[in-house]
Amino acid sequence: MKKQTGYLILLIVLIASHLFLSGYSLIFLWILTGIAFFQFFPARPRVWGMVLLFELLIGAGFYLLKWRDDHNLYYVSNHSDFPAFTWVTAVVLLNAVTAMFCVGIPFTVCRLIFHKRFQN
Amino acid sequence: MKRIIFIIFLAAILGGWLWIMNSHFSGMNSLIHITGYKQGLLEKRSLPGDSVLQLPTTFEPAVVKVDTLGIPHIFGKDASSAAYALGYMHARDRYFQMELLAHTVMGRLSEVIGVSGVTSDRDWKPMHIETRAQQLLQELQQKDPDLYQFLLAYTDGVNACRQQEDVQYNDPMYLLWNYKPQQWKPYYSLLIQWYLSARLAYYDDYTDRQELLDKLPLAVREVIYPDYPGKQDGIVPQGPPDRDTFSMSGSMIGAAMVQDYSTLKTNPRVKNLGSNNWVVGPSKTSAGGVLLCNDLHLFLTAPNVFYEAQLQTPQLHVYGYTIPGVPIVVSGHNARIGWGITNGGWDVMEQYHLKLDPADSNRYWLDGKWQQMETIRDTILVKGDAPVVKTSQYTVFGRVVRKNKIVYAAHWHPEYNSSAVRALWRVMHAGDWEQFRDALRLYDYPAQNFAYGDVKGNIGIISAGKMPLKPAGYAGGLLDGTVTPVWNYIPFDSLPQAYNPQRGYLFSANQEPVRGPYYFSSHWYEDLYRPRRIHHLLANGTGLTVQHMRAMQLDVMDLSAKDINALLLKYTQPGNLSAQWKGMLQWDGNLLPTSDKAGFYKTILRSAGILAKEVATQLGVKTGPSLDQLTAFLLNRDSLHTGASVLHSKSLFNRWVAIADSVYRHRDMNEGAFTFYIPQITFLPGFDLQVDGVGGSENAVNVNADAHPVIRTVIELDSTGIRSYMVSAGGQSGRINERQYMQQLNDWKENNLHKTQFGADTNKLQMITTTLYFNKSH
């Protein structure tokens, strides 16, 4: 498979996970994604960075397509110390870092455990 | 090996991060859930602004029209259908707040917010209010079947909303606190009585009062802690009795129990809470009708504790402020009369000094023999944590408190009975003064001063409540805990009340109700300067209008400034004063938020508290004199011999000047003197709202201290009907993600009261955004 195929699948999985899952099921899926990604694309070098980038893009997408036109965000920010931008940034960053660790760490750990596979 | 260490390191990072994201700090939900894109905080939806809903009901049809302020105008075929609709609307806008309040009173707050609620539950649980509320509801079935049915229908409406609308999803508080809405029960609506009593009539400083009695001779107390520093304006007009003023004669029991006024009452102060109401008769109004005003001072929270609503059925038509969870108008009007309340602040807590058995501290001396205390263990369930057991001991007087080597039993009268909801239910139906009075015969706790006005031009006021009679000579300290108590109460007809006084107005601002034969409190009746200011404005007012009333509610004149000015002239040389103190010499006491002088005056008021503590230390007691006691002493006496030491007025005032200068130098330059914060009701960090631009002090009509006027009403009554104007320091919705959450805050700051749509025909209501039709399902 082409190099980009793995990352494209990763992007789709991340988008779908945010659309359909929440809480612990989300975490579970991300960890599985990391393991599966190693299974199918073991040689991809930039999984951590790509997950972080994709999450930031997805967060921006959610903001542009959903939250920006929703009164919910602005009423919440009007009634708190934090402007809407801070709320969005905090939410996106927390999700991005969580996804990066949940996908990236299982992927890297698998690589370390099965390192001989790469030596061949 | 390195690889294994690195794997462990990575696993630790992942585990640590997930632990942080999954932690429930202080009982709150985890960040994983709060920040989720699918069901997290940003994914919530505000309710649609314009909508028409068809909803099922088991009662007769009802229509609810909600205006742009979120105020529901409810039209029901009968009382039950209207109660059902009101229950639905309360739950729709405030269900989390309703649950929070009910669980607080039941001592079950920890079930909602986790460990953060344990302290509150430890206080509430031993009172077993939940059981008492259940009993009260059963009694209601016999005594007040109409109200009983009303509460049942209301409960059905609340639970219908909980089931039909996704309350849990709509309100971010359920997400943030990781709590699922529970079923509402009919007796929950009665719990509010105890909640209000606790906020307004639960005093626990009798040991401090007793200390003053024990340590200070009468001659010292009369000078430093006088009850009436000379500026009181009672609720019932003083001097020659007005023609129509009710008599103050007491019953035989009362005559035997009257207090001895030669004994001074001690006077420790808590002056954070209070309210204003006044009513002006036809002789002083421009239009020849009645103007009735009310502003309720409480700790301001978001959302506000009050909820505005109109309720109309063929038998009942009321408008005003309800409390979510209770289908009763607390301050408002019907089509014939209006009413407003202020806190009475009576001493309905009694603390009995116990004599313990030296051989067994679980036994106390009673009627000539040792009695065993009863021990009860209550279990407090804590969300996400282990249960907590609270062990309490009880005597015939009440719960045992062991504090600072003193053991006493606390008998809080509201704990044992409460009928405020029953009384207010009848007030809502009253059509004239006699019916109003009869309704208040039932009223007990918390004691309130009810101002009254009607469309026929009558005005009145009643200090209503169930006041326990005190032993002769009682001065405000601990009571004898060695004799079985007998509790009697001041008869209703002997309570302070007045009707159509010749002067044409009546008012209350938490001052002493009347100088009469009965003891009400040593706690509350200090001169807050507020009653005097209201009295002055009303006495000098003629041709009064709604606009005058509006301006009066915003009045920020602090009369204590005149006393400070007199002290400056008496004890200081202008040349020795700092620039800010010199400014006080020419200042009128108007506490406008834009005035630097007003800002410094707030510092002076704060410094008075510091000086009072120093005086208390010098006297060897815990409680310092209040502002008016302090100024009265400094103005009237040059010195006072207290036994061990001498208090010199001049040096005390100079110390006050120095403290104020020091505090002013070290003030926080980033924060204005009038800045305050409105906390979210669960004190969520980051959700407290900063408010600037509001003047006033604890002594001004527009109170701006720890408490604020949470709502204001002006009601105009005359032969053509009733017009009312209201504003809330917040909004109708309890959800932070709604426009109506703090929608009225700016209007409240400037007292831009909105004209209510009372009496408007269903089809002529203005600015309606949402309509709910309740029809029987087929």
Side-chain angles (χ1 to χ4, degrees):
Chain A
M1 281 192 276
K2 288 184 178 178
K3 191 176 180 180
Q4 289 78 8
T5 308
Y7 293 135
L8 186 61
I9 292 171
L10 184 62
L11 175 63
I12 291 167
V13 169
L14 287 174
I15 292 172
S17 69
H18 281 299
L19 286 174
F20 299 111
L21 298 177
S22 65
Y24 303 124
S25 54
L26 192 68
I27 302 294
F28 187 66
L29 177 73
W30 285 344
I31 291 171
L32 279 183
T33 303
I35 297 167
F37 198 81
F38 168 76
Q39 182 64 35
F40 295 110
F41 311 101
R44 296 292 175 264
R46 290 186 292 274
V47 174
W48 288 54
M50 294 306 280
V51 171
L52 190 64
L53 176 67
F54 290 160
E55 275 293 314
L56 294 177
L57 289 173
I58 293 167
F62 265 79
Y63 172 70
L64 291 171
L65 298 172
K66 294 189 76 177
W67 302 328
R68 188 179 61 164
D69 295 326
D70 186 3
H71 290 148
N72 175 69
L73 170 64
Y74 294 99
Y75 292 142
V76 169
S77 66
N78 283 345
H79 301 143
S80 71
D81 288 347
F82 312 111
F85 177 78
T86 308
W87 279 107
V88 172
T89 306
V91 165
V92 170
L93 278 180
L94 283 169
N95 275 278
V97 173
T98 306
M100 182 181 72
F101 285 152
C102 288
V103 177
I105 289 178
F107 175 84
T108 305
V109 167
C110 287
R111 279 177 68 122
L112 290 168
I113 291 171
F114 301 107
H115 67 288
K116 284 184 182 173
R117 192 166 152 185
F118 297 103
Q119 290 171 355
N120 295 329
Chain B
M1 187 61 190
K2 278 184 183 175
R3 204 170 50 244
I4 293 171
I5 292 172
F6 190 50
I7 288 171
I8 293 170
F9 172 69
L10 287 175
I13 288 178
L14 181 59
W17 182 260
L18 290 182
W19 182 83
I20 291 169
M21 294 292 289
N22 190 41
S23 290
H24 294 258
F25 297 107
S26 301
M28 292 186 68
N29 209 342
S30 63
L31 284 171
I32 287 175
H33 290 94
I34 293 172
T35 61
Y37 288 5
K38 181 170 167 53
Q39 292 179 337
L41 185 64
L42 296 189
E43 190 59 18
K44 297 285 174 192
R45 285 284 178 277
S46 305
L47 291 183
D50 297 289
S51 56
V52 175
L53 301 174
Q54 299 283 350
L55 298 160
T57 176
T58 51
F59 298 94
E60 292 297 313
V63 180
V64 181
K65 302 238 173 183
V66 184
D67 64 25
T68 49
L69 291 175
I71 300 162
H73 305 272
I74 298 168
F75 304 88
K77 289 273 185 189
D78 59 17
S80 292
S81 61
Y84 181 90
L86 180 60
Y88 195 97
M89 291 309 299
H90 272 171
R92 195 170 200 248
D93 286 331
R94 304 280 190 97
Y95 197 57
F96 184 80
Q97 183 185 21
M98 288 163 64
E99 286 207 273
L100 202 70
L101 194 148
H103 281 80
T104 298
V105 178
M106 291 187 288
R108 293 168 49 191
L109 186 60
S110 308
E111 294 174 28
V112 183
I113 63 171
V115 289
S116 305
V118 171
T119 306
S120 168
D121 288 345
R122 281 178 172 278
D123 291 337
W124 280 102
K125 196 81 173 181
M127 290 196 263
H128 306 124
I129 301 291
E130 185 174 8
T131 310
R132 295 188 198 284
Q134 288 168 330
Q135 291 166 350
L136 209 58
L137 186 73
Q138 290 308 313
E139 291 171 18
L140 217 55
Q141 197 169 1
Q142 307 298 325
K143 292 178 180 172
D144 255 319
D146 289 348
L147 174 57
Y148 180 77
Q149 292 302 328
F150 195 71
L151 292 180
L152 293 190
Y154 175 83
T155 303
D156 284 351
V158 171
N159 287 320
C161 177
R162 190 177 56 84
Q163 287 160 355
Q164 289 164 19
E165 301 204 14
D166 196 343
V167 169
Q168 183 179 1
Y169 180 76
N170 290 340
D171 192 338
M173 282 305 122
Y174 286 105
L175 169 74
L176 293 172
W177 284 104
N178 189 28
Y179 181 71
K180 288 181 181 170
Q182 304 293 309
Q183 189 185 21
W184 187 258
K185 296 176 181 173
Y187 66 85
Y188 285 7
S189 294
L190 301 173
L191 297 169
I192 188 66
Q193 304 172 123
W194 286 281
Y195 179 78
L196 288 178
S197 290
R199 297 301 294 268
L200 299 171
Y202 191 98
Y203 307 132
D204 190 20
D205 60 347
Y206 293 83
T207 51
D208 293 343
R209 303 185 199 191
Q210 189 63 46
E211 185 192 40
L212 291 184
L213 292 172
D214 292 343
K215 290 188 175 176
L216 301 180
L218 182 62
V220 173
R221 296 205 308 270
E222 278 181 331
V223 176
I224 298 286
Y225 298 93
D227 263 350
Y228 312 111
K231 307 184 192 70
Q232 282 285 352
D233 300 285
I235 289 171
V236 172
Q238 302 291 296
D242 289 314
R243 184 166 42 86
D244 297 322
T245 300
F246 277 76
S247 73
M248 292 297 300
S249 59
S251 68
M252 290 304 288
I253 299 171
M257 301 286 281
V258 294
Q259 68 167 52
D260 176 7
Y261 267 93
S262 64
T263 308
L264 265 180
K265 300 189 287 283
T266 58
N267 219 349
R269 314 294 186 180
V270 177
K271 56 180 179 181
N272 293 327
L273 302 172
S275 303
N276 303 319
N277 63 16
W278 60 84
V279 57
V280 184
S283 63
K284 292 184 83 73
T285 59
S286 168
V290 168
L291 288 169
L292 189 150
C293 304
N294 192 196
D295 48 285
L296 296 170
H297 309 160
L298 294 167
F299 293 115
L300 200 45
T301 57
N304 198 314
V305 72
F306 290 104
Y307 183 89
E308 190 175 336
Q310 175 170 207
L311 209 60
Q312 185 169 6
T313 72
Q315 296 80 30
L316 176 69
H317 188 187
V318 284
Y319 194 108
Y321 283 103
T322 63
I323 296 176
V326 196
I328 298 290
V329 171
V330 176
S331 175
H333 60 88
N334 58 29
R336 289 187 288 172
I337 71 164
W339 62 93
I341 56 173
T342 66
N343 192 27
W346 300 351
D347 276 350
V348 293
M349 165 73 93
E350 289 171 340
Q351 296 184 344
Y352 293 84
H353 194 191
L354 299 176
K355 181 181 171 187
L356 297 189
D357 183 352
D360 182 359
S361 65
N362 295 320
R363 299 203 307 168
Y364 64 104
W365 187 254
L366 184 74
D367 298 333
K369 56 186 177 186
W370 295 112
Q371 294 280 347
Q372 191 72 30
M373 294 173 186
E374 185 188 1
T375 302
I376 295 179
R377 289 180 179 80
D378 293 298
T379 303
I380 298 166
L381 301 177
V382 185
K383 184 186 71 180
D385 225 318
V388 173
V389 175
K390 166 75 177 171
T391 304
S392 310
Q393 290 181 304
Y394 298 82
T395 65
V396 294
F397 305 100
R399 274 173 301 123
V400 176
V401 181
R402 298 170 192 266
K403 190 166 79 175
N404 301 332
K405 296 181 182 174
I406 297 175
V407 181
Y408 61 85
H411 186 90
W412 187 46
H413 285 263
E415 188 178 331
Y416 302 92
N417 202 5
S418 218
S419 58
V421 168
R422 283 181 69 197
L424 286 167
W425 164 255
R426 293 178 186 207
V427 165
M428 291 200 316
H429 290 83
D432 58 32
W433 171 249
E434 284 307 319
Q435 290 173 4
F436 184 72
R437 282 188 78 234
D438 282 344
L440 291 179
R441 283 179 188 278
L442 269 178
Y443 190 86
D444 49 16
Y445 308 111
Q448 296 289 300
N449 306 303
F450 284 81
Y452 166 92
D454 66 31
V455 291
K456 291 180 179 171
N458 300 305
I459 63 172
I461 203 163
I462 302 177
S463 296
K466 199 173 172 189
M467 179 64 203
L469 289 161
K470 306 292 181 181
Y474 179 69
L478 298 173
L479 289 162
D480 180 12
T482 62
V483 181
T484 298
V486 178
W487 288 295
N488 291 304
Y489 301 87
I490 298 177
F492 177 80
D493 289 323
S494 296
L495 292 174
Q497 43 200 293
Y499 183 60
N500 287 339
Q502 285 178 336
R503 70 186 190 189
Y505 62 89
L506 290 161
F507 69 96
S508 74
N510 315 110
Q511 78 273 36
E512 180 198 17
V514 68
R515 299 266 182 98
Y518 294 111
Y519 174 94
F520 287 98
S521 171
S522 66
H523 192 95
W524 197 265
Y525 307 130
E526 65 177 309
D527 180 2
L528 298 170
Y529 295 96
R530 194 157 44 94
R532 190 177 164 206
R533 176 64 179 165
I534 293 171
H535 197 171
H536 177 79
L537 291 169
L538 292 176
N540 292 308
T542 52
L544 296 172
T545 63
V546 171
Q547 284 309 314
H548 287 121
M549 299 296 98
R550 177 185 161 269
M552 197 171 147
Q553 287 178 325
L554 269 190
D555 184 82
V556 290
M557 179 70 77
D558 188 334
L559 294 183
S560 66
K562 294 189 190 308
D563 286 346
I564 302 298
N565 195 294
L567 286 168
L568 280 170
L569 294 173
K570 185 175 180 183
Y571 291 122
T572 62
Q573 298 293 326
N576 298 333
L577 292 171
S578 60
Q580 56 269 17
W581 269 108
K582 278 180 191 164
M584 293 297 101
L585 287 165
Q586 305 297 326
W587 188 54
D588 61 358
N590 224 347
L591 283 160
L592 296 169
T594 50
S595 158
D596 289 340
K597 290 177 181 175
F600 179 62
Y601 197 72
K602 294 282 267 191
T603 305
I604 294 176
L605 294 176
R606 206 172 134 197
S607 308
I610 299 172
L611 182 69
K613 281 182 185 168
E614 291 186 2
V615 170
T617 305
Q618 208 165 332
L619 294 172
V621 293
K622 293 191 194 75
T623 310
S626 63
L627 176 69
D628 61 323
Q629 288 171 332
L630 197 58
T631 52
F633 166 66
L634 297 176
L635 280 170
N636 300 325
R637 296 286 290 256
D638 291 331
S639 64
L640 175 69
H641 292 266
T642 63
S645 61
V646 182
L647 293 176
H648 292 286
S649 297
K650 185 175 182 179
S651 60
L652 278 178
F653 185 68
N654 281 311
R655 173 72 184 140
W656 190 352
V657 169
I659 293 170
D661 278 333
S662 174
V663 171
Y664 193 68
R665 271 196 304 276
H666 294 93
R667 71 195 188 280
D668 183 354
M669 299 297 286
N670 296 320
E671 202 165 89
F674 292 92
T675 300
F676 67 93
Y677 295 86
I678 303 175
Q680 194 275 333
I681 198 167
T682 58
F683 297 93
L684 275 178
F687 285 97
D688 46 350
L689 298 165
Q690 181 175 329
V691 182
D692 293 296
V694 177
S697 69
E698 59 265 48
N699 304 315
V701 177
N702 188 25
V703 165
N704 183 359
D706 291 339
H708 295 88
V710 295
I711 56 139
R712 298 193 190 97
T713 67
V714 176
I715 304 168
E716 192 176 18
L717 310 97
D718 58 33
S719 55
T720 63
I722 292 188
R723 293 160 298 283
S724 53
Y725 308 82
M726 301 185 180
V727 74
S728 152
Q732 287 288 95
S733 177
R735 296 185 300 276
I736 53 172
N737 58 334
E738 295 288 346
R739 185 162 60 101
Q740 284 89 0
Y741 181 69
M742 292 302 277
Q743 190 184 14
Q744 297 179 45
L745 186 61
N746 285 330
D747 284 334
W748 170 82
K749 285 164 68 174
E750 296 171 10
N751 205 20
N752 291 326
L753 304 145
H754 60 263
K755 186 175 182 184
T756 69
Q757 300 196 63
F758 175 76
D761 189 73
T762 320
N763 298 319
K764 291 183 179 171
L765 287 163
Q766 304 292 309
M767 297 179 294
I768 298 302
T769 58
T770 300
T771 304
L772 297 89
Y773 293 99
F774 294 92
N775 288 299
K776 280 188 174 175
S777 47
H778 299 288

